[in-house]
Amino acid sequence: MTIALESMTLGILGGGQLGRMSAMAAARLGIKTIIFSPEERSPAFHVAHESILADYDDKEALKRFKEKVDVISYEFENIPVETVLYLEEIGAKVFPDERLLYVSQDRIKEKQFLNDLGIETARWKKMESTEDLLQAGFQDFIIKTTRFGYDGKGQISSSLDECNTCEKLKSFFETHKNNDLILEEKVAFTDEMSVIIARNKQGESAIYGPMLNIHKNHILYKTIYPNSFSKDVIEKAHEIAQKIADEIKLIGVLTVEFFICEDGRILANELAPRTHNSGHWTIDACAVSQFEQHVRAVCGLPLGSSEAHSDAEMLNLIGNDVKDINNYMKQDNACVHLYGKKEAREGRKMGHVTFLQEKS
Ligand code: AMP
């Protein structure tokens, strides 16, 4: 890239906390950010050089956006693929390109993509009728909507024994009768983990993790790095993330979430073509955070080290948890981050705290 750093402008589609933290990382490198979001109260607006408040299908606004920036990225996977295709059509450089977005927006496409690369997932089946429950024969299962599910929304778990009597299941089918569904075998995992990989145009990559992730009510509660995963598990997780990144010639950041089974097998669960909540600790515990790697990768810059200089535990502040903020502020090893959201609604990620310890 020939543009001088000080005059570079990065456009980000989406205005949530991930966009906010990428914009803050960009500012540290002297790169300006323009946020494009349809949400008036976007947390990323507060820290950006400029903001465009418009819908993702507003072509005039997208044109204006394209004219103002050197390169475009996005901060969450539910940006319409058509928006990215339109921006590319009018000459914008968008990273990561739409392929990963397309795959990660649909759980069936995502599982098929992983399995085609030889990456093991939970056993699954497209769910077209209740007959599929018997045919698949999974004793315990989870049914999920294929699109727009996050933090456990749009999913239900049940078992073959109760599938004819379960009222919750009946009402789930009723609510989602117009949605595509996927049936997954429920995995008896010992742990959940994630790996974050950044890769740039030159093919350099940097990997964080695997991180140990602990969920409460399907929402990430705590992330711990380092942890006691075996050398085999670590190598396998890195190998899978690298394989996906190289296969799609990733430019940007990709997160892979996994289940670890009792027998040591690791199953990929989800892909996110972006930075991830399980990587927030990298802001305080690494010289170069996941957000800075994101900015560097999409702006054509060299990547930095993903080495941690401290051990870290990240705690999400969800809903009313944010009320404990004063206590955290008094702790010597606590790095407090708030996203500037007004209402502490139930399940809403308001901020996070990273507790640092000396590197073990
Ligand atoms: P997801 O939306 O697929 O990330 O699922 C949210 C959470 O539900 C995961 O973090 C797991 O704790 C749980 N979960 C999802 N799919 C499965 C599965 N096939 N087996 C067991 N637990 C699952």
Side-chain angles (χ1 to χ4, degrees):
M1 193 160 298
T2 48
I3 306 152
L5 259 185
E6 64 274 16
S7 60
M8 196 186 276
T9 305
L10 165 66
I12 299 181
L13 293 159
Q17 61 266 20
L18 301 177
R20 176 185 172 99
M21 289 183 270
S22 286
M24 288 161 82
R28 202 171 88 149
L29 295 177
I31 297 172
K32 294 190 201 77
T33 323
I34 302 186
I35 304 290
F36 188 109
S37 167
E39 307 282 337
E40 204 165 331
R41 288 194 188 163
S42 291
F45 283 174
H46 311 166
V47 298
H49 176 67
E50 204 180 317
S51 308
I52 297 180
L53 177 67
D55 288 327
Y56 292 124
D57 61 358
D58 182 339
K59 290 191 171 173
E60 282 312 308
L62 289 170
K63 261 190 219 157
R64 261 191 293 130
F65 180 51
K66 184 248 158 190
E67 289 310 318
K68 285 169 182 277
V69 300
D70 299 300
V71 64
I72 295 174
S73 190
Y74 42 86
E75 60 112 39
F76 82 133
E77 62 274 28
N78 286 331
I79 302 289
V81 171
E82 296 72 31
T83 301
V84 171
L85 289 173
Y86 176 70
L87 285 166
E88 285 171 348
E89 195 186 300
I90 59 173
K93 290 187 223 138
V94 187
F95 302 121
D97 67 26
E98 72 289 344
R99 286 169 305 161
L100 204 49
L101 205 53
Y102 179 73
V103 164
S104 61
Q105 284 180 358
D106 184 305
R107 292 183 191 274
I108 288 184
K109 291 195 178 83
E110 187 173 65
K111 290 268 190 307
Q112 194 62 61
F113 169 80
L114 289 164
N115 296 161
D116 288 348
L117 283 179
I119 298 167
E120 203 179 350
T121 59
R123 293 195 295 160
W124 63 276
K125 191 175 192 313
K126 184 168 194 241
M127 172 99 203
E128 282 166 314
S129 77
T130 42
E131 282 294 294
D132 290 314
L133 290 178
L134 299 173
Q135 262 183 26
F138 305 146
Q139 183 51 43
D140 294 297
F141 55 81
I142 301 191
I143 302 169
K144 304 176 182 175
T145 54
T146 58
R147 296 173 70 83
F148 301 118
Y150 67 97
D151 289 344
K153 292 191 175 67
Q155 55 178 271
I156 187 164
S157 70
S158 186
S159 69
L160 263 191
D161 302 334
E162 59 173 27
C163 69
N164 288 323
T165 53
C166 179
E167 287 304 318
K168 271 201 308 195
L169 203 54
K170 278 188 202 144
S171 91
F172 180 85
F173 285 135
E174 189 49 36
T175 310
H176 296 289
K177 61 181 180 232
N178 296 321
N179 298 122
D180 287 336
L181 300 173
I182 182 172
L183 169 67
E184 288 182 24
E185 182 167 33
K186 190 165 183 177
V187 177
F189 56 76
T190 53
D191 284 311
E192 292 189 73
M193 68 174 181
S194 56
V195 164
I196 299 173
I197 183 165
R199 186 180 178 282
N200 66 8
K201 200 170 158 189
Q202 297 85 325
E204 293 171 345
S205 52
I207 301 189
Y208 297 97
M211 283 71 80
L212 169 64
N213 297 326
I214 299 164
H215 294 80
K216 251 193 200 171
N217 304 323
H218 295 283
I219 303 177
L220 183 67
Y221 164 66
K222 202 183 251 191
T223 291
I224 301 169
Y225 185 83
N227 39 61
S228 56
F229 294 139
S230 69
K231 195 166 163 271
D232 265 9
V233 164
I234 296 170
E235 276 174 11
K236 183 82 185 149
H238 284 191
E239 197 184 296
I240 291 174
Q242 190 75 56
K243 185 173 192 174
I244 301 170
D246 289 342
E247 171 69 26
I248 57 161
K249 297 195 168 46
L250 172 74
I251 298 178
V253 168
L254 162 75
T255 304
V256 192
E257 291 182 59
F258 298 95
F259 300 134
I260 309 181
C261 305
E262 263 166 12
D263 58 9
R265 276 180 316 139
I266 69 170
L267 306 179
N269 177 41
E270 264 199 318
L271 296 176
R274 54 164 171 83
T275 55
H276 195 260
N277 195 168
S278 63
H280 290 0
W281 62 276
T282 63
I283 300 175
D284 303 299
C286 301
V288 182
S289 72
Q290 61 162 350
F291 298 104
E292 187 171 330
Q293 303 280 21
H294 173 214
V295 173
R296 291 186 188 206
V298 301
C299 291
L301 300 168
L303 298 183
S305 165
S306 54
E307 193 71 29
H309 54 68
S310 304
D311 289 0
E313 201 170 299
M314 188 279 319
L315 185 71
N316 260 342
L317 301 175
I318 299 167
N320 281 330
D321 293 349
V322 75
K323 293 192 174 141
D324 298 331
I325 202 71
N326 288 358
N327 295 335
Y328 297 126
M329 284 186 169
K330 288 180 209 148
Q331 291 185 34
D332 286 349
N333 64 337
C335 309
V336 177
H337 300 255
L338 295 173
Y339 308 147
K341 296 182 186 176
K342 246 186 166 169
E343 278 169 83
R345 285 199 299 269
E346 195 188 327
R348 195 171 200 210
K349 291 173 183 165
M350 304 299 293
H352 70 268
V353 187
T354 300
F355 299 94
L356 296 179
Q357 296 290 348
E358 209 168 296
K359 191 177 165 89
S360 52

